Amino acid sequence: MHATIDLSRYRTPLANLDAVDPNDAGPYATDDDGREAAAEDLDELIERMAELQRKFYADGRFALLLVLQALDAGGKDGTIRRALSGLNPQGVRVRSFKRPTELELAHDFLWRIHQAAPRKGEIGVFNRSHYEDVLVVRVDGLVPEDVWRRRYEHIVAFERLLHDAGTHFVKVYLHIDRDEQRERLQKRLDDPSRHWKFDANDLRVRAQWDDYRAAFAEMFARTGHEPTPWLIVPANRKWYRDLVVATAMVEAMEALDLRWPEPSVDLSAFTVGD
Ligand code: ATP
Ligand code: MG
């Protein structure tokens, strides 16, 4: 490795949106040499993640859940595609949370979330999550304030329940600034291979920027404590964003003291033979 990223700078409750620069590149230079070092480090992290996943799967005592939140064009899809590219798909479950269906709306807001939680040995990825219920729901006024306000407590209790049952969280907010979002949305208008990603609604959401910032700030303050802190990831530079998320996944698994399960029988009694 050329460099190691100090994640504590990005972790709530100490980190906040004003304290993390979306352009930050951490210990890496932003010239060609820095980019090359970063690319090599990402390859190495991806390899380590793959190794750790094998043991994590075999161990089977824990689940890991990566929660990805961002504004439109924040890079959730690209992060999954790049930073997690070394994982064995067999042990991964990705779930994208869209507008709730009629059936989902007929239940409490965590009903659909709980069903998608990863089982032991599995890595779950939430592309958007239960946090939409204190973000878009708050900003668009989809339910009364006293309803969404109580959700912070519900979320903290819910995550504690999962944590007590062996689920470790990596909660990531991809932090881009307004200029970067403009460029990325413009690309969706200009590049025919990205037209399908354009959603007129994204422009409406962009106009609500300040409301979203307020909603994110309160979300970090209320749901960003141990054992499930948020990581505010500088995400203007995609290559650095991928490095931070990969580092977080590797460190989360390394912290688990994983072990290979003991064989259930005395292996010395067996020979494979011809
Ligand atoms: P991309 O960022 O690549 O466009 P996306 O995650 O925005 O992908 P879309 O299908 O465009 O995917 O949008 C999903 C929509 O569902 C978002 O506008 C999001 O706010 C909305 N959504 C998700 N969860 C909820 C919820 N609980 N209540 C209301 N809307 C929700
Ligand atoms: Mg969208």
Side-chain angles (χ1 to χ4, degrees):
M1 294 287 288
H2 297 271
T4 308
I5 296 170
D6 174 12
L7 294 180
S8 68
R9 304 165 55 205
Y10 306 135
R11 196 170 279 139
T12 58
L14 292 180
N16 61 58
L17 279 179
D18 295 320
V20 177
D21 176 4
N23 267 314
D24 189 15
Y28 295 91
T30 53
D31 59 9
D32 285 351
D33 287 347
R35 291 288 304 275
E36 206 173 300
E40 284 173 19
D41 284 356
L42 182 61
D43 286 345
E44 216 173 302
L45 283 167
I46 285 171
E47 220 168 278
R48 258 162 72 194
M49 205 188 309
E51 277 298 308
L52 282 160
Q53 186 199 8
R54 290 186 61 217
K55 203 165 182 182
F56 173 84
Y57 180 83
D59 184 318
R61 286 177 300 151
F62 309 103
L64 186 62
L65 179 54
L66 172 64
V67 173
L68 283 171
Q69 284 293 155
L71 288 170
D72 292 296
K76 300 186 301 317
D77 295 334
T79 302
I80 294 170
R81 192 172 61 242
R82 302 257 307 118
L84 307 184
S85 61
L87 293 178
N88 176 352
Q90 192 151 234
V92 181
R93 196 142 64 109
V94 184
R95 171 76 193 267
S96 297
F97 289 99
K98 309 283 185 186
R99 277 177 207 91
T101 63
E102 196 197 350
L103 178 65
E104 288 166 350
L105 282 174
H107 293 80
D108 69 86
F109 77 103
L110 291 171
W111 180 72
R112 64 175 183 163
I113 309 292
H114 206 163
Q115 292 178 67
R119 55 176 295 163
K120 292 192 169 99
E122 196 172 53
I123 297 174
V125 180
F126 284 179
N127 184 343
R128 300 187 189 265
S129 67
H130 41 303
Y131 285 100
E132 292 293 322
D133 290 280
V134 289
L135 293 170
V136 63
V137 168
R138 165 185 174 151
V139 171
D140 282 353
L142 300 181
V143 302
E145 176 166 354
D146 65 316
V147 173
W148 61 253
R149 275 213 170 272
R150 288 213 296 275
R151 290 181 174 170
Y152 295 116
E153 273 177 49
H154 296 145
I155 287 173
V156 169
F158 171 67
E159 292 185 354
R160 188 166 290 270
L161 166 68
L162 295 193
H163 188 266
D164 285 349
T167 302
H168 289 254
F169 282 73
V170 176
K171 298 197 300 196
V172 163
Y173 170 70
L174 300 174
H175 189 25
I176 58 167
D177 60 27
R178 250 181 104 72
D179 288 343
E180 183 66 24
Q181 190 192 43
R182 178 192 298 113
E183 269 177 42
R184 293 187 189 180
L185 291 177
Q186 189 63 46
K187 249 191 208 159
R188 293 181 180 183
L189 285 170
D190 297 342
D191 174 355
S193 76
R194 292 177 202 258
H195 284 175
W196 65 277
K197 279 206 143 206
F198 183 78
D199 180 349
N201 187 49
D202 293 353
L203 299 183
R204 191 179 63 83
V205 173
R206 179 171 163 80
Q208 298 167 313
W209 187 273
D210 292 339
D211 292 342
Y212 272 100
R213 267 189 85 95
F216 281 120
E218 187 160 6
M219 176 185 90
F220 296 136
R222 290 189 178 266
T223 69
H225 292 82
E226 290 292 340
T228 56
W230 280 95
L231 211 52
I232 300 176
V233 175
N236 273 8
R237 303 175 198 274
K238 295 175 181 173
W239 56 271
Y240 187 64
R241 167 202 79 194
D242 294 337
L243 272 168
V244 175
V245 174
T247 300
M249 293 297 282
V250 165
E251 287 192 5
M253 282 193 276
E254 279 176 349
L256 293 177
D257 185 28
L258 299 172
R259 30 179 213 251
W260 298 107
E262 292 296 325
S264 51
V265 291
D266 177 8
L267 297 186
S268 66
F270 296 88
T271 47
V272 175
D274 294 331

